[in-house]
Amino acid sequence: MAAKTGKSFAGRFGVHIAVLVFVVIWTIPTLGILVSSLRDKDQIVAAGWWNSFASSSQSEAGRLPAASAQTQKDGKYVIEGNIFGDGPKREISAFGVKSSAPTQYKAGTVAELNDGTTLQMNADGTFILSSVKAFEGDRGQRVYFASSAPPKFTTDNYDAVLFSEGIGRSFMNSLTVTIPATIIPILIAAFAAYALAWMRFPGRALLIAVIIGLLVVPLQMSLIPLLKLYNGVGTFFGVPSKTYLGIWLAHTGFGLPFAIYLLRSYIAGLPREIMESARIDGASDFEIFVKIVLPLSFPVLASFAIFQFLWVWNDLLVAMVFLGTAPDQIVLTAKLNALLGSRGGNWEILTTSAFITIIVPLIVFFSLQRYFVRGLLAGSVKGG
C-alpha cells in the first residue's frame, strides 16, 4: 500500500512539473512580446526585453554647434552647451571624437584634441569645447558617446499600429471572418452529429466513414479545386469571387469533418434513458435536440469553438486565397505578413501587432477553458 501511494504521489508530482514547464515555455515568449510592445524603439535595439526594467546602455553620435556659436572667455574661444539639446537627458559614461574609439575618454575628463583644442563632456551631457584659435566652418565637431537611459515604457506603439498602420481595420476584418466561420460549422455539425448518433436512416454508416476519411484530407490538396468550383459558381451567378461569404463557406467546409466527428462522439455517449424517456413523453427529434442534447453538449461545443476560432483567427493561407487584400478585406495575419516584409527592422511595430493578434484568442480560451478538458474527454465516459 505504501509503495502504491508513493508511486501515485510521484506520478502527480511529475504531472505538475510537466505542466509547470509547459506553462513557463508558453508564458516567457508571450511576456517578451508584451514588454517589447510597450518599449521605446531605441531601447528595443539597444537591449533585450529581459533588460527592460534596468537602464540600457547604447553608443550614439552627435555634432557640436558650428563656429557661429563660439564666445571668447579668458583669451580662448569657447563653444558650450548640452549634447542632448532640448531632448530627453541621459547619463554619459564615456565619449570620443573618432568612430573607431567612441569611448576613449571618461565623462568629465578634458580631452586634448589638436592645435590646443580641448573638449570636456560631463555625465549630464554638458560640454565645453575650447581653443586658442577661432573656430571656423559651418559644421561642428563630430563626437561619439556612450549613454545609459532609464527604462521607458509607452503606448505610442499601439497608437501607431491601431490608427496609422491599418491594423485596427484588419482586426475588425478578422473578427468579421472568424465569428461567422466559427458559428456556422457549429450549427451545421450539431444537427448532423445528433442525426448520426441517434437517428436511423439508410447510408448512415457510409456517411460516418466518409466523414472520418475527410479528417485526413490535407487542406492544401483541396484548396485549389475548391477555389475553382467556387469561382465557377460565382461566375454562373454573377457574384464576385473574393467575398466574405466565400471564406465563410471555405472555413465551414474545412472545419465540418472534425466538428461532426467530435460532436457525434460526445452526443452518442449521452444516456440513452434520457432520450427514450423524452420519446415516451411525445417529444420529437427536434425537441430532444434543442431541449436536451444542446444543453448537455455545451462543453464539447465550447471545446470545438476554441479549436475553430483559433484556427480561423490564425489562418493566412485560406484568407489569401478566398479573400482580397483591399483595406476593407485584408485580415490581421495578412496585414502582419505585409508589415513583416516592409518593416523588417521596426521591432516595436511587429511586436505590438503580434500582441494585438493574440489578445482575442487569449480572451476566448480563458473564457471557455473550464469546458475545454470536459470537451476533450467527449464520449470517454457514459453520460459525460
Side-chain angles (χ1 to χ4, degrees), residues 151-166:
K152 180 181 179 182
F153 298 96
T154 177
T155 58
D156 292 344
N157 298 333
Y158 285 91
D159 292 337
V161 167
L162 292 174
F163 303 108
S164 301
E165 300 294 338

Side-chain angles (χ1 to χ4, degrees), residues 256-269:
L256 270 179
F258 177 68
I260 296 175
Y261 176 77
L262 182 66
L263 268 63
R264 179 192 172 276
S265 299
Y266 187 94
I267 294 174

Side-chain angles (χ1 to χ4, degrees), residues 247-318:
I247 196 170
W248 293 341
L249 294 177
H251 280 303
T252 298
F254 292 132
L256 270 179
F258 177 68
I260 296 175
Y261 176 77
L262 182 66
L263 268 63
R264 179 192 172 276
S265 299
Y266 187 94
I267 294 174
L270 294 176
R272 180 179 296 273
E273 292 78 8
I274 298 179
M275 308 297 178
E276 293 177 349
S277 298
R279 287 194 172 90
I280 292 174
D281 291 338
S284 64
D285 283 312
F286 182 78
E287 291 174 331
I288 293 174
F289 173 75
V290 172
K291 297 180 179 180
I292 298 177
V293 174
L294 279 185
L296 293 177
S297 302
F298 188 80
V300 74
L301 294 175
S303 180
F304 173 75
I306 293 175
F307 280 119
Q308 182 72 359
F309 189 96
L310 295 181
W311 177 61
V312 177
W313 181 266
N314 294 318
D315 169 71
L316 174 63
L317 179 60
V318 177

Side-chain angles (χ1 to χ4, degrees), residues 23-311:
V23 168
V24 170
I25 292 175
W26 184 88
T27 302
I28 290 178
T30 306
L31 178 62
I33 294 175
L34 173 61
V35 172
S36 298
S37 69
L38 294 171
R39 297 180 70 194
D40 181 76
K41 62 179 181 180
D42 294 330
Q43 293 191 350
I44 290 179
V45 176
W49 67 267
W50 50 90
N51 296 320
S52 59
F53 299 100
S55 297
S56 59
S57 299
Q58 54 191 5
S59 297
E60 301 180 63
R63 192 175 294 277
L64 303 183
S68 59
Q70 64 185 323
T71 59
Q72 279 189 293
K73 290 183 179 180
D74 301 328
K76 291 186 178 182
Y77 295 90
V78 177
I79 299 176
E80 56 185 340
N82 193 300
I83 191 65
F84 299 120
D86 297 329
K89 303 299 186 291
R90 299 182 291 279
E91 183 178 354
I92 294 177
S93 58
F95 69 97
V97 294
K98 298 179 182 179
S99 59
S100 58
T103 58
Q104 183 177 1
Y105 309 102
K106 290 185 177 180
T109 60
V110 178
E112 298 285 345
L113 303 184
N114 51 44
D115 299 331
T117 303
T118 62
L119 172 63
Q120 180 182 1
M121 183 172 291
N122 301 312
D124 60 357
T126 57
F127 63 86
I128 301 176
L129 179 66
S130 64
S131 176
V132 295
K133 297 180 181 180
F135 295 102
E136 298 178 354
D138 297 330
R139 293 172 65 85
Q141 172 68 46
R142 188 75 165 174
V143 294
Y144 303 88
F145 55 92
S147 64
S148 60
K152 180 181 179 182
F153 298 96
T154 177
T155 58
D156 292 344
N157 298 333
Y158 285 91
D159 292 337
V161 167
L162 292 174
F163 303 108
S164 301
E165 300 294 338
I167 295 294
R169 182 61 184 270
S170 300
F171 185 89
M172 298 306 299
N173 293 343
S174 288
L175 287 178
T176 304
V177 171
T178 306
I179 293 176
T182 301
I183 295 176
I184 294 174
I186 289 178
L187 293 177
I188 298 175
F191 283 100
Y194 173 78
L196 294 174
W198 293 101
M199 297 177 68
R200 299 293 181 266
F201 54 89
R204 172 172 167 269
L206 179 61
L207 189 57
I208 295 175
V210 170
I211 292 172
I212 294 175
L214 289 174
L215 290 174
V216 299
V217 176
L219 180 149
Q220 294 82 357
M221 187 178 73
S222 59
L223 198 60
I224 300 303
L226 184 62
L227 178 62
K228 290 183 177 179
L229 175 63
Y230 178 74
N231 287 340
V233 174
T235 302
F236 179 80
F237 288 101
V239 297
S241 58
K242 302 287 188 177
T243 62
Y244 284 113
L245 178 60
I247 196 170
W248 293 341
L249 294 177
H251 280 303
T252 298
F254 292 132
L256 270 179
F258 177 68
I260 296 175
Y261 176 77
L262 182 66
L263 268 63
R264 179 192 172 276
S265 299
Y266 187 94
I267 294 174
L270 294 176
R272 180 179 296 273
E273 292 78 8
I274 298 179
M275 308 297 178
E276 293 177 349
S277 298
R279 287 194 172 90
I280 292 174
D281 291 338
S284 64
D285 283 312
F286 182 78
E287 291 174 331
I288 293 174
F289 173 75
V290 172
K291 297 180 179 180
I292 298 177
V293 174
L294 279 185
L296 293 177
S297 302
F298 188 80
V300 74
L301 294 175
S303 180
F304 173 75
I306 293 175
F307 280 119
Q308 182 72 359
F309 189 96
L310 295 181
W311 177 61

